[in-house]
Every structure is written in C-alpha cells, then in structure tokens.
Amino acid sequence: MSTVHQPDLKDRPARLTVGVVGAGRVGPALAASLQLAGHRPVAVSGVSDASRRRAEAMLPDVPLVPPAEVLQRADLVLLTVPDDALPGLVAGLAETGAVRPGQLLVHTSGRYGAKVLDPALRAGALPLALHPAMTFTGTPVDVQRLAGCSFGVTAPEELRLAAEALVIEMGGEPEWISEENRPLYHAALALGSNHLVTLVAQAMDLLRTAGVGAPDRMLGPLLGAALDNALRSGDAALTGPVARGDAGTVAAHITELRKHAPQTVAGYLAMARATADRALAAGLLKAELAEDLLGVLADGGHPDQGDDGTTGTEGNDR
C-alpha cells in the first residue's frame, strides 16, 4: 500500500497540457505518470529512431513534432535531454522566441538547479528542476517505479509548492536541494547508483571466470542483504576481509585479479582503501591489523611473506 502523501485539492496544479523535449528514457515515463494524474500530453520531440519508438510506445497518439512546436502546444514542458545538451537547448529555445510567458519549464538533470533555465526565465517562463533519483529502462515499468521515488527539487521560492505538487502527482517524494548543492547531490547519486552497476557487472564476470554458472542467482541475495544492511546501519554493516584486517586474503585477491582481470585491480584497491578508512573510523578494524592491510594496499598486493610464502592470515574466516 502506497504511503505517498496526496496533496489537498487547493495545492494541486490545474490540469495542464504537457510536452516533452527529448524522448529518452526519462521524459516519456514522466509524461505518462502526469497523464495518470489527469494532465494531458500533447506533443513530444525525439531525434533518434529509438526515442521515437519509445515515445510512440509510452505516449500513444501523442504527435511527434519539433522542439519549438512542443513549446507552442504545452503549458508544462519537460526538457529531458542529456546534461551537457541542456544549457544550449535552453538558450536556443529562448533566443528563437519559442518560450512563452507563464509556461512551466521543467528540466530533469541531476547536475543543474534552476539557474540553467535563466534564459527561459528572462523570457517569462517558470523554471523548475525536478530530478527523479531513479534509474530508467525506457519501458512502462518506469512509471510504476516512480511510486515513492525521491525527486531532487530546486526552484524559486515562489514556485516551490507547485514543484512539490507536481512531484507528488507523479507518485514521488520531493527533497529540496539548494542550487549550490546540486553538483554534490548528483555526484552522490552517481557514486551510489552508476558505480554500483559497474561493480556488480565486474563481480558477475569474475564469478563466471571462476566457474559459477549462475552468478546473478548467487549475487542477488548477497547484494540485496548488503544493500539493506548498509541503508539501515551504515558503516556498522561493513563485513569481509578488509573490515577484518585480513591482509593475506586481500593480497590473494589482488594476485588473482592481476592474473584474470587486471582491469579491475585499480578499482579494487581504491574501494579497499576507502573501506579500510571507514572501518577504522567506525572502530571495526583493529589498528594493529590495519597496518599490515594498508601496507598490502599501498604495495598493490605484495605483502611481506613468511618462509612458507604466506602472511599467516589465509583461511581466517572469522
């Protein structure tokens, strides 16, 4: 059962005509969710064949038109283009007179706040930055995933209620992000989400190399539990050889990675050092064990070895 707060009728924006400039994975999903809330998509623009097919699938019977015509038809325009393309798009639309006074102009970039829309603001538009903290597939499942999804919201103070109301209508939860904190906010999401995909993909590749037939089935429960523990407990959820100070095990890992997947070594070392720092600060990693561990990481996996070629910590699974 959804716990998303529903605004009072007096807080709800009037039913709006909606346009989408940039039919990537995000725009059609947001427009479809606004349609469920009673708004009316009227125009969408897309350049590639894939974006056009996506728009036709998720917004059937909504005409595909050039960006300037989207702005002519819509009260609320979603600018859902890549971050680097956004400033040029906004400037171009403002310069050509496509922006109408009183028009709600919404971008979904995580990097930018509302100031990137200043050229449109000077033309009379109402600027909103609404960034869904969600990964999108470009399929109808995205609309369902918006239920309870947090949105990073940045807008002029006088538009704050309107921005938050639109987010709630899409099933989301608004989180107010100041203009100056948008880059840090976006970096945090990229670190937690985008890099996670890389880590999981690397782990799956290594398991296949190790002979595991179904790495997804093996990792699923483990990663699900690790994520849940981390969200609940933070650094207290740290486990594994780095948090335990098992320098020999970590050295063995690095040796195997150099042999089978050398492209993963730099990432392993960086994450192990960061994990060691956090485990030390949290009191999980004992100082007397940290010295050997940090030495291994500094040497890139070449610890001082005993006469038998080990460091004496292999097989310790406490």
Side-chain angles (χ1 to χ4, degrees):
M1 181 175 178
S2 174
T3 58
V4 175
H5 168 68
Q6 293 298 322
D8 294 334
L9 288 177
K10 62 183 175 60
D11 295 329
R12 295 168 69 94
R15 301 306 90 187
L16 302 168
T17 53
V18 179
V20 179
V21 176
R25 297 181 179 184
V26 178
L30 297 188
S33 67
L34 287 169
Q35 186 173 35
L36 291 176
H39 301 288
R40 184 164 62 91
V42 294
V44 60
S45 72
V47 177
S48 69
D49 290 341
S51 66
R52 290 172 175 269
R53 287 193 299 270
R54 190 178 298 116
E56 290 169 356
M58 297 190 67
L59 299 171
D61 302 322
V62 176
L64 285 157
V65 299
E69 191 171 340
V70 172
L71 271 71
Q72 290 174 8
R73 298 188 183 197
D75 303 315
L76 165 63
V77 179
L78 302 172
L79 303 179
T80 53
V81 297
D83 289 358
D84 288 351
L86 182 61
L89 172 66
V90 175
L93 291 172
E95 288 171 4
T96 58
V99 178
R100 294 188 285 109
Q103 188 169 49
L104 283 164
L105 212 57
V106 177
H107 81 70
T108 59
S109 166
R111 170 185 173 186
Y112 293 107
K115 285 188 68 64
V116 72
L117 298 173
D118 276 356
L121 174 64
R122 290 190 289 270
L126 306 178
L128 307 175
L130 308 179
H131 174 251
M134 177 55 62
T135 182
F136 287 80
T137 64
T139 65
V141 71
D142 295 333
V143 179
Q144 302 169 23
R145 287 180 174 175
L146 288 173
C149 167
S150 292
F151 279 66
V153 178
T154 306
E157 186 64 30
E158 61 272 20
L159 295 177
R160 179 168 180 160
L161 288 178
E164 291 179 342
L166 283 170
V167 169
I168 291 170
E169 286 203 317
M170 287 186 281
E173 293 281 3
E175 287 283 352
W176 191 255
I177 309 295
S178 65
E179 185 77 33
E180 61 271 20
N181 282 338
R182 290 292 290 209
L184 179 61
Y185 153 81
H186 195 225
L189 295 180
L191 183 66
S193 175
N194 305 149
H195 296 178
L196 176 63
V197 174
T198 300
L199 288 172
V200 173
Q202 287 183 343
M204 290 177 63
D205 289 344
L206 291 169
L207 287 172
R208 290 189 189 97
T209 302
V212 174
D216 53 342
R217 188 169 64 231
M218 178 175 284
L219 284 174
L222 174 65
L223 297 183
L227 177 60
D228 184 63
N229 291 342
L231 292 175
R232 291 174 183 271
S233 305
D235 289 334
L238 283 171
T239 62
V242 172
R244 292 192 300 265
D246 290 343
T249 299
V250 171
H253 288 177
I254 298 168
T255 297
E256 290 303 300
L257 292 177
R258 290 192 189 283
K259 185 186 304 181
H260 297 287
Q263 72 278 8
T264 67
V265 172
Y268 181 97
L269 289 171
M271 289 304 298
R273 291 179 187 123
T275 300
D277 289 344
R278 298 191 75 92
L280 266 172
L284 301 173
L285 175 59
K286 296 177 181 178
E288 61 269 24
L289 297 176
E291 185 175 355
D292 284 347
L293 173 67
L294 294 175
V296 167
L297 297 175
D299 293 339
H302 304 290
D304 292 335
Q305 294 183 335
D307 293 338
D308 61 352
T310 72
T311 62
T313 57
E314 283 83 349
N316 189 346
D317 197 33
R318 67 184 179 280

PDB file of all heavy atoms in Angstrom, residues 5 26 29 53 55 72 91 94 147 150 160 165 193 204 214 223 225-226 231 250 260 265 277 310:
ATOM      1  N   HIS A   5       2.157  10.843   0.158  1.00  0.00           N
ATOM      2  CA  HIS A   5       1.185  11.857   0.559  1.00  0.00           C
ATOM      3  C   HIS A   5       0.481  12.431  -0.664  1.00  0.00           C
ATOM      4  O   HIS A   5       1.109  12.739  -1.670  1.00  0.00           O
ATOM      5  CB  HIS A   5       1.919  12.980   1.306  1.00  0.00           C
ATOM      6  CG  HIS A   5       1.090  14.218   1.514  1.00  0.00           C
ATOM      7  ND1 HIS A   5      -0.001  14.246   2.353  1.00  0.00           N
ATOM      8  CD2 HIS A   5       1.192  15.454   0.966  1.00  0.00           C
ATOM      9  CE1 HIS A   5      -0.532  15.456   2.326  1.00  0.00           C
ATOM     10  NE2 HIS A   5       0.179  16.207   1.496  1.00  0.00           N
ATOM     11  N   VAL A  26      13.663   9.004 -19.767  1.00  0.00           N
ATOM     12  CA  VAL A  26      13.014   9.693 -18.649  1.00  0.00           C
ATOM     13  C   VAL A  26      11.737  10.410 -19.067  1.00  0.00           C
ATOM     14  O   VAL A  26      10.691  10.262 -18.433  1.00  0.00           O
ATOM     15  CB  VAL A  26      13.989  10.687 -17.991  1.00  0.00           C
ATOM     16  CG1 VAL A  26      13.302  11.447 -16.852  1.00  0.00           C
ATOM     17  CG2 VAL A  26      15.223   9.964 -17.479  1.00  0.00           C
ATOM     18  N   ALA A  29       8.324   8.566 -19.556  1.00  0.00           N
ATOM     19  CA  ALA A  29       7.839   7.995 -18.301  1.00  0.00           C
ATOM     20  C   ALA A  29       7.202   9.067 -17.422  1.00  0.00           C
ATOM     21  O   ALA A  29       6.136   8.859 -16.829  1.00  0.00           O
ATOM     22  CB  ALA A  29       8.982   7.308 -17.559  1.00  0.00           C
ATOM     23  N   ARG A  53      10.428   5.554 -31.275  1.00  0.00           N
ATOM     24  CA  ARG A  53       9.697   4.327 -30.947  1.00  0.00           C
ATOM     25  C   ARG A  53       9.271   4.322 -29.481  1.00  0.00           C
ATOM     26  O   ARG A  53       8.162   3.896 -29.132  1.00  0.00           O
ATOM     27  CB  ARG A  53      10.570   3.098 -31.247  1.00  0.00           C
ATOM     28  CG  ARG A  53      10.752   2.803 -32.732  1.00  0.00           C
ATOM     29  CD  ARG A  53      11.337   1.415 -32.944  1.00  0.00           C
ATOM     30  NE  ARG A  53      12.642   1.263 -32.331  1.00  0.00           N
ATOM     31  CZ  ARG A  53      13.792   1.526 -32.951  1.00  0.00           C
ATOM     32  NH1 ARG A  53      13.775   1.958 -34.210  1.00  0.00           N
ATOM     33  NH2 ARG A  53      14.947   1.349 -32.337  1.00  0.00           N
ATOM     34  N   ALA A  55       8.653   6.934 -27.590  1.00  0.00           N
ATOM     35  CA  ALA A  55       7.561   7.888 -27.419  1.00  0.00           C
ATOM     36  C   ALA A  55       6.246   7.296 -27.913  1.00  0.00           C
ATOM     37  O   ALA A  55       5.198   7.443 -27.267  1.00  0.00           O
ATOM     38  CB  ALA A  55       7.882   9.183 -28.166  1.00  0.00           C
ATOM     39  N   GLN A  72       5.062  25.432 -28.223  1.00  0.00           N
ATOM     40  CA  GLN A  72       3.850  26.152 -28.650  1.00  0.00           C
ATOM     41  C   GLN A  72       2.588  25.480 -28.118  1.00  0.00           C
ATOM     42  O   GLN A  72       1.611  26.153 -27.790  1.00  0.00           O
ATOM     43  CB  GLN A  72       3.790  26.212 -30.183  1.00  0.00           C
ATOM     44  CG  GLN A  72       4.827  27.112 -30.819  1.00  0.00           C
ATOM     45  CD  GLN A  72       4.812  27.014 -32.336  1.00  0.00           C
ATOM     46  OE1 GLN A  72       3.922  26.386 -32.919  1.00  0.00           O
ATOM     47  NE2 GLN A  72       5.805  27.618 -32.983  1.00  0.00           N
ATOM     48  N   ALA A  91      19.106  27.933 -24.082  1.00  0.00           N
ATOM     49  CA  ALA A  91      19.483  29.195 -24.718  1.00  0.00           C
ATOM     50  C   ALA A  91      18.881  29.309 -26.109  1.00  0.00           C
ATOM     51  O   ALA A  91      18.367  30.369 -26.497  1.00  0.00           O
ATOM     52  CB  ALA A  91      21.010  29.309 -24.781  1.00  0.00           C
ATOM     53  N   ALA A  94      15.112  29.987 -25.993  1.00  0.00           N
ATOM     54  CA  ALA A  94      14.837  31.367 -25.575  1.00  0.00           C
ATOM     55  C   ALA A  94      15.152  32.351 -26.697  1.00  0.00           C
ATOM     56  O   ALA A  94      14.391  33.295 -26.954  1.00  0.00           O
ATOM     57  CB  ALA A  94      15.633  31.697 -24.322  1.00  0.00           C
ATOM     58  N   ALA A 147       6.583   5.456  -8.027  1.00  0.00           N
ATOM     59  CA  ALA A 147       5.842   5.452  -6.758  1.00  0.00           C
ATOM     60  C   ALA A 147       6.826   5.407  -5.594  1.00  0.00           C
ATOM     61  O   ALA A 147       7.548   4.434  -5.411  1.00  0.00           O
ATOM     62  CB  ALA A 147       4.883   4.275  -6.696  1.00  0.00           C
ATOM     63  N   SER A 150      12.249   9.364  -4.709  1.00  0.00           N
ATOM     64  CA  SER A 150      12.627  10.720  -4.313  1.00  0.00           C
ATOM     65  C   SER A 150      13.008  11.542  -5.534  1.00  0.00           C
ATOM     66  O   SER A 150      13.647  11.035  -6.464  1.00  0.00           O
ATOM     67  CB  SER A 150      13.807  10.678  -3.335  1.00  0.00           C
ATOM     68  OG  SER A 150      13.423  10.118  -2.099  1.00  0.00           O
ATOM     69  N   ARG A 160       7.979  26.835  -5.268  1.00  0.00           N
ATOM     70  CA  ARG A 160       8.296  25.613  -4.526  1.00  0.00           C
ATOM     71  C   ARG A 160       7.067  24.716  -4.361  1.00  0.00           C
ATOM     72  O   ARG A 160       7.143  23.497  -4.585  1.00  0.00           O
ATOM     73  CB  ARG A 160       8.866  25.975  -3.160  1.00  0.00           C
ATOM     74  CG  ARG A 160       9.211  24.772  -2.311  1.00  0.00           C
ATOM     75  CD  ARG A 160      10.033  25.167  -1.113  1.00  0.00           C
ATOM     76  NE  ARG A 160      10.366  24.021  -0.279  1.00  0.00           N
ATOM     77  CZ  ARG A 160      11.360  24.001   0.590  1.00  0.00           C
ATOM     78  NH1 ARG A 160      12.128  25.061   0.732  1.00  0.00           N
ATOM     79  NH2 ARG A 160      11.591  22.924   1.319  1.00  0.00           N
ATOM     80  N   ALA A 165       4.155  19.838  -5.664  1.00  0.00           N
ATOM     81  CA  ALA A 165       2.867  19.240  -6.017  1.00  0.00           C
ATOM     82  C   ALA A 165       2.982  18.374  -7.263  1.00  0.00           C
ATOM     83  O   ALA A 165       2.403  17.282  -7.335  1.00  0.00           O
ATOM     84  CB  ALA A 165       1.818  20.333  -6.225  1.00  0.00           C
ATOM     85  N   SER A 193      24.790   4.744  -7.462  1.00  0.00           N
ATOM     86  CA  SER A 193      23.992   4.007  -8.439  1.00  0.00           C
ATOM     87  C   SER A 193      24.806   3.568  -9.653  1.00  0.00           C
ATOM     88  O   SER A 193      24.921   2.378  -9.934  1.00  0.00           O
ATOM     89  CB  SER A 193      22.812   4.866  -8.889  1.00  0.00           C
ATOM     90  OG  SER A 193      22.087   4.230  -9.912  1.00  0.00           O
ATOM     91  N   MET A 204      30.077 -10.238 -11.490  1.00  0.00           N
ATOM     92  CA  MET A 204      29.481 -11.309 -12.285  1.00  0.00           C
ATOM     93  C   MET A 204      30.485 -11.890 -13.267  1.00  0.00           C
ATOM     94  O   MET A 204      30.572 -13.110 -13.442  1.00  0.00           O
ATOM     95  CB  MET A 204      28.235 -10.796 -13.005  1.00  0.00           C
ATOM     96  CG  MET A 204      27.070 -10.516 -12.073  1.00  0.00           C
ATOM     97  SD  MET A 204      25.615  -9.833 -12.887  1.00  0.00           S
ATOM     98  CE  MET A 204      25.175 -11.158 -13.996  1.00  0.00           C
ATOM     99  N   ALA A 214      25.605 -19.515 -12.553  1.00  0.00           N
ATOM    100  CA  ALA A 214      24.520 -18.533 -12.422  1.00  0.00           C
ATOM    101  C   ALA A 214      24.950 -17.435 -11.451  1.00  0.00           C
ATOM    102  O   ALA A 214      24.467 -17.366 -10.317  1.00  0.00           O
ATOM    103  CB  ALA A 214      23.235 -19.198 -11.948  1.00  0.00           C
ATOM    104  N   LEU A 223      23.806  -9.362  -2.428  1.00  0.00           N
ATOM    105  CA  LEU A 223      23.802  -7.919  -2.639  1.00  0.00           C
ATOM    106  C   LEU A 223      22.551  -7.274  -2.052  1.00  0.00           C
ATOM    107  O   LEU A 223      22.606  -6.156  -1.531  1.00  0.00           O
ATOM    108  CB  LEU A 223      23.905  -7.607  -4.133  1.00  0.00           C
ATOM    109  CG  LEU A 223      25.188  -8.074  -4.828  1.00  0.00           C
ATOM    110  CD1 LEU A 223      25.189  -7.649  -6.288  1.00  0.00           C
ATOM    111  CD2 LEU A 223      26.415  -7.535  -4.117  1.00  0.00           C
ATOM    112  N   ALA A 225      20.940  -8.263   0.609  1.00  0.00           N
ATOM    113  CA  ALA A 225      21.152  -8.167   2.060  1.00  0.00           C
ATOM    114  C   ALA A 225      22.165  -7.082   2.394  1.00  0.00           C
ATOM    115  O   ALA A 225      21.991  -6.324   3.359  1.00  0.00           O
ATOM    116  CB  ALA A 225      21.620  -9.520   2.605  1.00  0.00           C
ATOM    117  N   ALA A 226      23.246  -6.990   1.596  1.00  0.00           N
ATOM    118  CA  ALA A 226      24.263  -5.975   1.853  1.00  0.00           C
ATOM    119  C   ALA A 226      23.686  -4.566   1.707  1.00  0.00           C
ATOM    120  O   ALA A 226      23.966  -3.680   2.522  1.00  0.00           O
ATOM    121  CB  ALA A 226      25.449  -6.165   0.898  1.00  0.00           C
ATOM    122  N   LEU A 231      21.864   0.458   4.180  1.00  0.00           N
ATOM    123  CA  LEU A 231      20.881   1.526   4.328  1.00  0.00           C
ATOM    124  C   LEU A 231      20.379   1.632   5.767  1.00  0.00           C
ATOM    125  O   LEU A 231      20.084   2.723   6.250  1.00  0.00           O
ATOM    126  CB  LEU A 231      19.703   1.291   3.380  1.00  0.00           C
ATOM    127  CG  LEU A 231      20.012   1.420   1.888  1.00  0.00           C
ATOM    128  CD1 LEU A 231      18.796   1.038   1.054  1.00  0.00           C
ATOM    129  CD2 LEU A 231      20.460   2.842   1.538  1.00  0.00           C
ATOM    130  N   VAL A 250      43.379 -10.312   1.308  1.00  0.00           N
ATOM    131  CA  VAL A 250      43.316  -9.201   0.361  1.00  0.00           C
ATOM    132  C   VAL A 250      44.448  -9.315  -0.654  1.00  0.00           C
ATOM    133  O   VAL A 250      44.246  -9.096  -1.859  1.00  0.00           O
ATOM    134  CB  VAL A 250      43.364  -7.856   1.107  1.00  0.00           C
ATOM    135  CG1 VAL A 250      43.519  -6.699   0.131  1.00  0.00           C
ATOM    136  CG2 VAL A 250      42.108  -7.674   1.959  1.00  0.00           C
ATOM    137  N   HIS A 260      43.671 -12.658 -13.768  1.00  0.00           N
ATOM    138  CA  HIS A 260      42.472 -12.947 -14.552  1.00  0.00           C
ATOM    139  C   HIS A 260      41.726 -11.697 -15.046  1.00  0.00           C
ATOM    140  O   HIS A 260      41.027 -11.774 -16.059  1.00  0.00           O
ATOM    141  CB  HIS A 260      41.490 -13.787 -13.728  1.00  0.00           C
ATOM    142  CG  HIS A 260      42.026 -15.128 -13.356  1.00  0.00           C
ATOM    143  ND1 HIS A 260      42.160 -16.151 -14.271  1.00  0.00           N
ATOM    144  CD2 HIS A 260      42.465 -15.620 -12.163  1.00  0.00           C
ATOM    145  CE1 HIS A 260      42.653 -17.225 -13.660  1.00  0.00           C
ATOM    146  NE2 HIS A 260      42.848 -16.927 -12.387  1.00  0.00           N
ATOM    147  N   VAL A 265      41.867  -4.228 -11.004  1.00  0.00           N
ATOM    148  CA  VAL A 265      42.744  -4.067  -9.843  1.00  0.00           C
ATOM    149  C   VAL A 265      42.668  -2.654  -9.270  1.00  0.00           C
ATOM    150  O   VAL A 265      42.553  -2.466  -8.045  1.00  0.00           O
ATOM    151  CB  VAL A 265      44.202  -4.435 -10.205  1.00  0.00           C
ATOM    152  CG1 VAL A 265      45.146  -4.071  -9.054  1.00  0.00           C
ATOM    153  CG2 VAL A 265      44.305  -5.913 -10.525  1.00  0.00           C
ATOM    154  N   ASP A 277      39.496   2.770   5.542  1.00  0.00           N
ATOM    155  CA  ASP A 277      39.378   4.053   6.245  1.00  0.00           C
ATOM    156  C   ASP A 277      38.085   4.131   7.042  1.00  0.00           C
ATOM    157  O   ASP A 277      38.076   4.567   8.202  1.00  0.00           O
ATOM    158  CB  ASP A 277      39.442   5.211   5.243  1.00  0.00           C
ATOM    159  CG  ASP A 277      40.832   5.417   4.656  1.00  0.00           C
ATOM    160  OD1 ASP A 277      41.800   4.885   5.243  1.00  0.00           O
ATOM    161  OD2 ASP A 277      40.938   6.088   3.609  1.00  0.00           O
ATOM    162  N   THR A 310      53.395 -17.386   2.779  1.00  0.00           N
ATOM    163  CA  THR A 310      52.119 -16.801   3.172  1.00  0.00           C
ATOM    164  C   THR A 310      52.354 -15.699   4.180  1.00  0.00           C
ATOM    165  O   THR A 310      53.456 -15.527   4.714  1.00  0.00           O
ATOM    166  CB  THR A 310      51.192 -17.855   3.803  1.00  0.00           C
ATOM    167  OG1 THR A 310      51.705 -18.182   5.103  1.00  0.00           O
ATOM    168  CG2 THR A 310      51.133 -19.117   2.959  1.00  0.00           C
TER     169      THR A 310
END
